[in-house]
Amino acid sequence: MTTLKWWQTAVFYQIYPRSFADGNGDGIGDFKGIISKLEYLSDLGIDAIWLSPHFPSPNWDWGYDISDYQNVAPEYGTLDDFKTLLNESHKRGLRVILDLVLNHTSDQHPWFIESKSSRENPKADWYVWFDAPPNNWQSCFDGDAWTYVPERGQYYYHYFMKQQPDLNWHNPEVKQAMWDVVRFWLDLGVDGFRLDAIGTIFEDANLVPHTVPMNLAELRRARELAKTPAEKEQVEKYWHDMFKHQWGQPGVHDLMKELRAVLNEYDGDRMLVGEDDDIAYLGDGEDELNLVFNFPLMRTQRLTADHIRRNQKERLTQLEALPVKGWACNTLGNHDSSRVYSRYGDGIHDAELARLSLALMLTLKGTPFLYNGEEIGMSDYIITDPTKLRDTMATWYYERLVNELKVGPAEAALRAGEMTRDKNRTPMHWSSAPNGGFCPTNVAPWLPVNPNYSDGINVADQRDNPTSLLNYYGRLLHLRKETPALIEGDYIPLHKTSREYFSFLRKTKSQAILVVLNFSDGRTELDFSRVKEIKGKTIRVLFSSDERILAGENPRKLRIGAYEVFIAEVK
Ligand code: NOJ
């Protein structure tokens, strides 16, 4: 019997509600749509859902600008519909965590409307106000971080868009109001939260200006134009220096401890996962967050054996060093990043590489987070017409490119299309029907559907095809569930200098699982007979992405195919 908590054994699946399933035929995903797909998720082998923001929002940042924290967006349904979604999920053994945005609200939130109305109102100090911009700080979304409000004759601070004013977390009333929000959803029975942008909650108290000789738009452009490694390094340093006074400031750990204490008032091991890779957010291992994402793993152009090995060594060593050992959490994609299929593809072996990426997620030590659509191989869909962009950050950048940086409209459209997050948020493909079965034929979906839904990149076609990515995914998910070492086993890297393939063991007292992921197009023959955990034992194949007889193999001469995912038990 495992002593692990549910969030350590679970596989999480991120639902971007606007694009997941449209239940009422208006071109926008909703609760009814999600409810109709719960069976799909539990059959697939998913254990928990992370629901991206479902709150009322003016949608400047598609839900990450919240105007009411204790309600639901009307386009998604009613609060009762949400309760149904929660109950129906729980009935199927699916946990549900919500997105909690602490750093900022919408500028349409009643708190901000009140705060900006005068310098004397009861919420006057709920946001960060100054008579004049105290420095040159930038917002990471739309240029200047300070925006003027005539009613107060003052400027407010926003790390993200001007429609997302930062809350003043030094004010205890803000904290109380937000902990009430947290209790509201915990009382309804949600299983935890994914914490948005916790790193940016506090700013440098001395308001030290940045020293980068550019503004945000210029820096973005420099990033695009950087060619040599030295240029790239310089741009990344600038990026870091531009924002370093606006995140990672002291105080946030005490705050996370308080939040943990709120969750601990509830039964059921409610959990917190932070949108940050800093292991310091786990506190002593049990007094802050339960998980932080292993973002460094995904910050690479290519997933190589070397990169993964270095990443695992670093992360797992840090987690082990905590007073109460921390638990790993891996992901390769979300609503902010290019889709796995596109990002780690090479344009020729994309399908094979996608299978390797998914296998990596499900075999590494730690809780995996998958992003909706990954399971059918959805890829980025670049919007080339800037008038069709829905991501305000990209529209802003397009306009700056054309108007300030004098970049031609065609190139600007291309750059905006590449940098926008729209490309990885397009609607889910449920079938080969028009609009990918996401919404009715005669209805325009909120974002264009990637036309490749008609080439087999859809759930219905793949469900009927035993060799599809979807069925591959399902098999791997079920294998993981039935194989304790894949969930709780230690990670032991093997063949530590191999470049083409990545091999490792997952080992508990009673089970040892060998995983080989061949990231190259070459077949190879591997010798594991000198590995102490394998020496003198046999290898019984459990899973392979190749057509291979599931039988015993010789550890001295293990043949691995090009791009093969190979999983076996060592006995
Ligand atoms: C991180 C979220 O993942 C992203 O989508 C959002 O735009 C920002 N935080 C601001 O809330």
Side-chain angles (χ1 to χ4, degrees):
M1 258 296 277
T2 177
T3 52
L4 296 178
K5 308 274 193 221
W6 69 266
W7 48 266
Q8 294 175 303
T9 60
V11 174
F12 281 74
Y13 181 98
Q14 181 190 358
I15 291 185
Y16 193 70
R18 224 174 177 76
S19 289
F20 189 61
D22 176 9
N24 66 356
D26 64 355
I28 299 174
D30 49 40
F31 295 139
K32 192 169 165 219
I34 301 176
I35 293 166
S36 73
K37 303 299 181 192
L38 292 176
E39 210 61 49
Y40 163 76
L41 293 177
S42 61
D43 285 354
L44 187 60
I46 299 298
D47 308 293
I49 294 167
W50 152 27
L51 192 64
S52 280
H54 65 288
F55 312 92
S57 164
N59 286 324
W60 287 95
D61 192 16
W62 300 110
Y64 285 95
D65 47 328
I66 298 169
S67 54
D68 181 354
Y69 281 79
Q70 302 192 4
N71 213 331
V72 303
E75 65 269 35
Y76 296 158
T78 62
L79 195 54
D80 277 340
D81 295 332
F82 174 81
K83 290 179 190 164
T84 309
L85 164 60
L86 194 57
N87 284 336
E88 290 298 318
S89 303
H90 284 165
K91 261 195 228 163
R92 292 171 174 79
L94 288 164
R95 308 274 186 153
V96 180
I97 69 165
L98 303 182
D99 222 310
L100 184 65
V101 184
L102 300 174
N103 178 68
H104 50 272
T105 68
S106 156
D107 63 347
Q108 298 306 306
H109 195 293
W111 298 342
F112 187 72
I113 293 178
E114 188 173 343
S115 187
K116 75 170 191 175
S117 66
S118 70
R119 295 188 190 198
E120 291 81 34
N121 71 76
K123 295 203 171 45
D125 191 32
W126 278 42
Y127 293 81
V128 183
W129 294 99
F130 280 89
D131 290 344
N135 55 32
N136 60 354
W137 285 355
Q138 297 285 285
S139 132
C140 70
F141 278 7
D142 62 1
D144 265 2
W146 302 98
T147 293
Y148 184 67
V149 169
E151 291 99 308
R152 281 181 66 135
Q154 282 186 314
Y155 292 77
Y156 65 90
Y157 172 69
H158 51 97
Y159 183 77
F160 296 98
M161 289 172 209
K162 59 177 172 298
Q163 294 87 356
Q164 295 169 296
D166 271 46
L167 282 160
N168 173 14
W169 277 89
H170 295 291
N171 184 333
E173 289 175 15
V174 167
K175 214 156 50 177
Q176 277 326 307
M178 212 47 116
W179 295 169
D180 286 349
V181 166
V182 169
R183 288 195 178 90
F184 173 83
W185 294 104
L186 291 174
D187 286 338
L188 285 184
V190 306
D191 298 286
F193 301 96
R194 173 264 191 191
L195 301 178
D196 187 71
I198 37 173
T200 61
I201 284 180
F202 292 110
E203 297 75 49
D204 172 38
N206 298 318
L207 299 161
V208 173
H210 76 74
T211 50
V212 178
M214 296 179 189
N215 64 23
L216 178 75
E218 289 162 344
L219 183 53
R220 276 200 186 283
R221 183 68 180 144
R223 203 182 223 182
E224 286 166 359
L225 298 177
K227 293 221 164 46
T228 65
E231 284 166 355
K232 288 184 182 163
E233 202 180 306
Q234 175 68 72
V235 169
E236 291 318 311
K237 182 172 181 322
Y238 276 164
W239 197 273
H240 174 264
D241 287 351
M242 180 172 275
F243 296 109
K244 68 180 177 194
H245 304 297
Q246 296 168 257
W247 55 265
Q249 300 295 317
V252 67
H253 292 290
D254 288 339
L255 196 68
M256 292 301 114
K257 287 193 176 82
E258 279 192 43
L259 179 54
R260 165 93 267 140
V262 175
L263 267 83
N264 288 348
E265 293 165 16
Y266 290 79
D267 60 4
D269 294 318
R270 316 288 174 110
M271 64 87 70
L272 295 168
V273 52
E275 189 216 2
D276 206 292
D277 51 58
D278 189 352
I279 283 169
Y281 284 109
L282 303 186
D284 68 5
E286 57 182 4
D287 63 352
E288 291 191 39
L289 313 186
N290 302 97
L291 300 172
V292 287
F293 290 109
N294 177 6
F295 289 138
L297 179 67
M298 63 188 275
R299 277 189 214 121
T300 176
Q301 292 294 317
R302 284 299 289 273
L303 287 170
T304 61
D306 207 35
H307 169 75
I308 303 165
R309 261 192 312 262
R310 266 187 285 120
N311 169 272
Q312 289 301 291
K313 187 168 180 201
E314 189 183 327
R315 300 291 293 181
L316 295 174
T317 311
Q318 287 178 27
L319 289 165
E320 299 266 315
L322 293 178
V324 180
K325 276 185 197 172
W327 190 256
C329 175
N330 299 302
T331 188
L332 288 177
N334 57 46
H335 65 295
D336 291 331
S337 62
S338 196
R339 282 189 175 274
V340 170
Y341 199 90
S342 306
R343 185 174 177 133
Y344 303 116
D346 62 0
I348 302 167
H349 308 100
D350 296 354
E352 292 88 339
L353 289 165
R355 287 181 191 230
L356 283 156
S357 305
L358 297 178
L360 182 68
M361 283 299 91
L362 297 181
T363 53
L364 280 182
K365 188 173 165 81
T367 301
F369 272 68
L370 314 173
Y371 178 50
N372 56 199
E374 256 168 40
E375 72 272 30
I376 51 169
M378 283 181 69
S379 52
D380 289 347
Y381 181 51
I382 308 278
I383 296 175
T384 48
D385 174 355
T387 64
K388 299 234 160 63
L389 292 170
R390 308 303 297 272
D391 185 357
T392 319
M393 174 165 93
T395 316
W396 175 86
Y397 186 50
Y398 174 79
E399 283 163 7
R400 289 304 169 290
L401 281 177
V402 174
N403 300 330
E404 280 172 25
L405 303 177
K406 305 298 171 206
V407 173
E411 159 143 22
L414 185 70
R415 295 304 190 173
E418 280 168 352
M419 68 80 82
T420 177
R421 301 166 298 174
D422 288 339
K423 65 180 183 300
N424 45 278
R425 295 175 175 178
T426 58
M428 178 81 181
H429 307 165
W430 292 104
S431 72
S432 59
N435 286 331
F438 170 73
C439 63
T441 316
N442 54 345
V443 167
W446 82 282
L447 264 182
V449 176
N450 187 332
N452 71 4
Y453 71 83
S454 58
D455 300 332
I457 316 292
N458 69 72
V459 172
D461 287 0
Q462 293 197 19
R463 211 191 310 234
D464 294 340
N465 173 0
T467 63
S468 69
L469 183 61
L470 180 64
N471 282 317
Y472 162 89
Y473 217 103
R475 280 200 302 280
L476 254 186
L477 280 159
H478 285 98
L479 175 73
R480 187 175 192 277
K481 274 194 208 318
E482 293 153 10
T483 314
L486 284 181
I487 297 172
E488 50 190 320
D490 290 340
Y491 158 83
I492 303 169
L494 305 176
H495 291 193
K496 289 189 211 160
T497 51
S498 68
R499 292 176 159 268
E500 275 78 29
Y501 64 94
F502 171 53
S503 64
F504 58 104
L505 283 173
R506 297 291 313 279
K507 194 171 178 319
T508 59
K509 283 206 180 82
S510 49
Q511 191 177 46
I513 299 293
L514 169 67
V515 181
V516 183
L517 304 176
N518 184 4
F519 285 92
S520 86
D521 60 2
R523 298 154 68 95
T524 173
E525 194 172 271
L526 305 179
D527 180 1
F528 287 104
S529 62
R530 280 192 295 268
V531 171
K532 84 170 180 315
E533 292 83 357
I534 299 182
K535 203 173 184 170
K537 305 217 165 122
T538 55
I539 286 181
R540 188 172 66 86
V541 187
L542 297 179
F543 183 93
S544 165
S545 56
D546 279 4
E547 279 180 25
R548 170 196 272 278
I549 299 161
L550 300 188
E553 289 280 349
N554 181 356
R556 199 178 289 278
K557 281 186 179 169
L558 178 62
R559 268 171 290 129
I560 297 287
Y563 298 107
E564 182 173 356
V565 169
F566 176 87
I567 304 176
E569 181 158 13
V570 180
K571 276 199 164 201

